[in-house]
Amino acid sequence: MNPEIRFRVQPDIYELADRRAQDLGLAGVEAGKSAGVPLLARAALYQWLGLAWPDDLPKPKEGPLPVTLAPGKTRVTVHHSLSEDYRRQCLDSQGLALPSSATTVLEVDARTAAPEIRRSLRLNEDGHLAGSLHLPEWETEGAVTLQQLGQYLGARNRAAEPGEWQQTLASWAQENGSELLRARLEEGFSWLALAEHDWLRWRIEQAAGETLAFEELRAEQSLAGPNWVHSLYPDREPSLERIQLLRRLRHNCQDIPGLRLTLVKGARERIESRSRSSESPFAALLWQLHTPTGRQLGLLSHFS
């Protein structure tokens, strides 16, 4: 799969697709890790085009998956993260190595569930009401409870509204913003997008306690400038030094809500007259954050 497309599929989506492909009998052992995404996509493409099922693709199992729920209950699947301290505790006390991501399945009563949970409920292909919440930024101590989920979603929704966020950024920019940012703010030019990126850089350096060299990354197709683009993919076999770097910065910046850190590899491709020329490959750390205004911020930091 094209690495630019692969990177836009989050790891928890890969895991969900793998499990679904296994349930349908589409993913064999020989298919390899994260095979569920291309297998499901290919099967859906053939079905959408009205083509016959390909001979080299296993046919799905017949009939719906069994669902056993108490009367009046529905199932909500929560994809979240496990805190590093909890994983280390399990390894030391039980010899159990846990992954950083986890899934908890909860049974809820749709009539009395919190509004934040009810919004996730949908009718699935079997006609049953079910929900799925992807919260990779939420680090927990093991499986979550329904009460914990309601409290977390409520606190997240009570965060600063876009209007309050703009006022906060404006106050911050007047004291800590760059000369360009302050000039735009004072003269009435568009300033919010620049302020959000400047604030993220400043907040990270304050938390990390060091100066970092950042490169801006736009969310759309990993674009980074008018004449060049990034090709990025997750670094699935990082060195010990890079893992230690990730752990250190993740620990230092844990107070920035919703911040995601990913070790990546990639290369820059310069676009000139409808042609692309690749530059030297690099390894970097990707910083991602969604702001209350709905914008996704992306920064790359390179380390020698």
Side-chain angles (χ1 to χ4, degrees), residues 55-77:
D55 296 333
D56 60 334
L57 191 62
K59 292 185 177 181
K61 299 176 182 177
E62 299 295 334
L65 297 176
V67 177
T68 55
L69 291 173
K73 297 288 187 178
T74 187
R75 182 171 296 160
V76 174
T77 304

Side-chain angles (χ1 to χ4, degrees), residues 18-90:
D18 282 338
R19 288 194 296 272
R20 185 56 176 160
Q22 291 285 351
D23 293 338
L24 294 175
L26 293 176
V29 177
E30 70 280 2
K33 187 178 181 180
S34 298
V37 171
L39 284 172
L40 292 175
R42 186 179 175 201
L45 177 62
Y46 272 75
Q47 182 180 11
W48 185 77
L49 293 175
L51 300 177
W53 193 269
D55 296 333
D56 60 334
L57 191 62
K59 292 185 177 181
K61 299 176 182 177
E62 299 295 334
L65 297 176
V67 177
T68 55
L69 291 173
K73 297 288 187 178
T74 187
R75 182 171 296 160
V76 174
T77 304
V78 184
H79 304 277
H80 55 100
S81 299
L82 297 176
S83 69
E84 186 176 356
D85 291 340
Y86 175 77
R87 293 164 58 203
R88 185 182 298 111
Q89 179 183 355
C90 291

Side-chain angles (χ1 to χ4, degrees), residues 152-296:
Y152 174 79
L153 293 176
R156 190 180 68 168
N157 290 342
R158 287 192 297 271
E161 297 293 333
E164 298 176 356
W165 173 242
Q166 292 186 27
Q167 296 178 6
T168 301
L169 277 182
S171 300
W172 171 86
Q174 293 172 352
E175 297 182 5
N176 303 285
S178 63
E179 184 177 357
L180 172 60
L181 175 57
R182 293 198 303 270
R184 285 187 181 180
L185 184 61
E186 293 168 358
E187 297 297 333
F189 294 107
S190 297
W191 59 274
L192 182 58
L194 177 61
E196 287 180 324
H197 275 95
D198 283 0
W199 173 85
L200 180 58
R201 290 185 176 91
W202 174 84
R203 185 68 182 85
I204 291 173
E205 291 186 347
Q206 289 287 315
E210 58 184 288
T211 301
L212 303 175
F214 288 115
E215 188 175 5
E216 184 174 342
L217 180 72
R218 300 210 306 271
E220 304 87 2
Q221 299 179 350
S222 299
L223 294 174
N227 299 319
W228 50 291
V229 64
H230 281 123
S231 296
L232 297 175
Y233 56 93
D235 185 357
R236 302 196 181 278
E237 297 180 345
S239 64
L240 176 61
E241 183 181 10
R242 281 171 57 74
I243 294 175
Q244 291 173 339
L245 170 71
L246 174 66
R247 288 175 173 175
R248 175 171 60 83
L249 292 176
R250 183 170 57 197
H251 174 75
N252 293 344
C253 299
Q254 61 184 340
D255 293 334
I256 305 178
L259 181 65
R260 298 190 62 191
L261 301 181
T262 309
L263 293 174
V264 298
K265 288 186 176 180
R268 296 181 188 86
E269 297 184 1
R270 190 168 296 279
I271 304 174
E272 296 177 347
S273 301
R274 298 183 180 179
S275 63
R276 288 190 178 189
S277 58
S278 298
E279 299 183 2
S280 301
F282 60 81
L285 183 62
L286 175 62
W287 308 71
Q288 292 175 295
L289 179 72
H290 275 91
T291 69
T293 59
R295 297 184 65 246
Q296 177 178 311

